Amino acid sequence: MIQVLRNRTYRSLFSAQVIALVGTGLLTVALGLLAFDLAGAAAGSVLGTALTIKMVAYVGVAPLIAATVDRLPKKAVLVSSDVIRLLIAMMLPFVTETWQIYALVFVLQSASATFTPAFQSLIPSVLPEPRDYTRALALSRLAYDLEALLSPLLAAALLAVISYNNLFLGTVVGFAASAVLVLTTRFPSLLHDQPASSFWQRLSIGMRVFARSPSLRFLMLTNIVVAAGTALVLVNSVVYAKGVFGFDDAALAVTLGAYGVGSLVVALNIPWIVERIGVTRTMLAGTAVVVSGLIAAVGITIIAVDTGAGWWALLTVWSVLGAGTSLINTPSSRLLAEASTPANRNLVYTTQFALSHACFLVTYPLAGWLGATSLPAAAGALAGVGVLGTTAALLLRRRTTT
């Protein structure tokens, strides 16, 4: 994986990604603690609503913005998105009401919905060889996993000496550094080989590619499984750590870190796994792991709610969910790159971005709103969603080849 860092452009872009991720990791911890500070035991419901708003921004805004900026220079799009995210992060420490969280999250995530697909669709042009691209995907996933592991640990260390509101300043620094690195990086020449098209024509290009590509329909089904496992972790970790087990703020960081450990272990091994069994088989294995983790979470949750025991078992299950998610997400962009062309790649990646996050419009409310009433019921409902997604993906895989 380290070999791809010899490419100067990719090295700069990867550095920008890593720095921004650290800031985002601090934001995740701080936002969870802010929600608990404002809403107490109902923090899961607040986070569930905030994350649902985030998904609405991703699903509703991403395709519109992508169609609008598709012909603009990528560098300007990326830097502008970072600046907007930076400004919103500066406002979050001053929030005093839950509705303010919702409003700021919508604007911040609308900017992320612009940045992320544009950034991801740029990498295949920087590293056109499939093996190099697979390594870059693994390295990118490794960055996400290290962030999931190290950012919570960094947050835990910082929380020992500062209040959680100061963690938002780390997010500001991360987005600022990302903008500078992107601004100073030389991008490859990106030529559009398709004729000029209208906004409405560009808006539907990605959906048409998904509709005619069996591999992308398979990807869509695995997105459902990822959404089920991820929702339980992101929405309810703060409730488990502080509400069920009665631990302090640092326990939330440890809980999220356990998820990152599982994903990290898999990311380190993804290149050789994909080379041996292929992309779709790797992703199917990931769906089985996620579903197994969710089923285990149901039993552990029932015991924990009744007795207050099971902390280490919960951390183990979170690691399993992280491993399964990495098996699905890390190689999935190979399917996008193979099904798209340089001319439509940004729009195809944006469609995947929107469709994958549309799944969270179901799973986040399940985790947050149902979890506020019954954590075991929320875990059970998400396990059911994961089983349905896995079954459908397996059936489609048997009917088609990739």
Side-chain angles (χ1 to χ4, degrees), residues 124-304:
S125 299
V126 176
L127 299 169
E129 291 297 323
R131 290 189 67 183
D132 287 341
Y133 185 45
T134 300
R135 290 168 179 163
L137 292 175
L139 194 60
S140 178
R141 186 68 207 180
L142 182 62
Y144 277 102
D145 296 337
L146 285 173
E147 178 272 317
L149 175 61
L150 298 180
S151 290
L153 294 178
L154 175 60
L158 291 173
L159 287 170
V161 294
I162 62 175
S163 68
Y164 70 81
N165 272 329
N166 290 313
L167 295 181
F168 290 117
L169 297 178
T171 302
V172 172
V173 173
F175 289 145
S178 173
V180 171
L181 281 168
V182 170
L183 189 62
T184 56
T185 299
R186 183 176 181 178
F187 284 14
S189 177
L190 302 176
L191 300 177
H192 292 279
D193 57 8
Q194 65 185 38
S197 56
S198 69
F199 167 83
W200 296 109
Q201 290 171 324
R202 294 195 299 272
L203 187 62
S204 63
I205 286 175
M207 289 298 297
R208 294 201 301 269
V209 174
F210 262 75
R212 67 172 181 256
S213 303
S215 63
L216 298 188
R217 295 199 298 272
F218 167 83
L219 172 59
M220 183 61 228
L221 293 171
T222 64
N223 289 336
I224 297 171
V225 183
V226 169
T230 304
L232 183 64
V233 173
L234 293 187
V235 174
N236 286 324
S237 284
V238 66
V239 180
Y240 280 101
K242 302 192 67 173
V244 175
F245 295 108
F247 295 139
D248 58 16
D249 291 351
L252 172 60
V254 174
T255 308
L256 295 174
Y259 181 79
V261 168
S263 188
L264 172 63
V265 171
V266 169
L268 289 170
N269 294 282
I270 277 293
W272 71 263
I273 294 175
V274 170
E275 287 183 9
R276 289 191 178 187
I277 67 175
V279 173
T280 54
R281 287 182 179 177
T282 300
M283 295 171 67
L284 279 173
T287 62
V289 172
V290 170
V291 168
S292 299
L294 286 170
I295 293 173
V298 176
I300 291 171
T301 303
I302 292 173
I303 295 172

Side-chain angles (χ1 to χ4, degrees), residues 41 49 68 83 114 130 154 163 176 181 200-201 241 261 275 307 321 354 374 382 394:
T49 302
T68 302
V83 170
T114 305
L154 175 60
S163 68
L181 281 168
W200 296 109
Q201 290 171 324
V261 168
E275 287 183 9
T307 67
L321 291 173
S374 170
L382 292 170
L394 182 59

Side-chain angles (χ1 to χ4, degrees), residues 78-131:
L78 294 174
V79 172
S80 298
S81 300
D82 267 337
V83 170
I84 292 173
R85 295 193 293 180
L86 180 156
L87 293 174
I88 295 301
M90 292 177 65
M91 299 179 189
L92 283 169
F94 304 101
V95 165
T96 58
E97 303 288 341
T98 55
W99 71 265
Q100 295 169 348
I101 293 179
Y102 302 151
L104 292 177
V105 162
F106 179 80
V107 177
L108 187 147
Q109 300 305 337
S110 295
S112 292
T114 305
F115 181 95
T116 302
F119 181 91
Q120 292 175 338
S121 66
L122 180 63
I123 305 304
S125 299
V126 176
L127 299 169
E129 291 297 323
R131 290 189 67 183

Side-chain angles (χ1 to χ4, degrees), residues 53-76:
I53 290 172
K54 169 183 174 179
M55 294 306 107
V56 170
Y58 280 5
V59 175
V61 175
L64 297 174
I65 295 181
T68 302
V69 305
D70 188 52
R71 293 295 184 266
L72 297 179
K74 265 192 168 52
K75 182 175 292 189

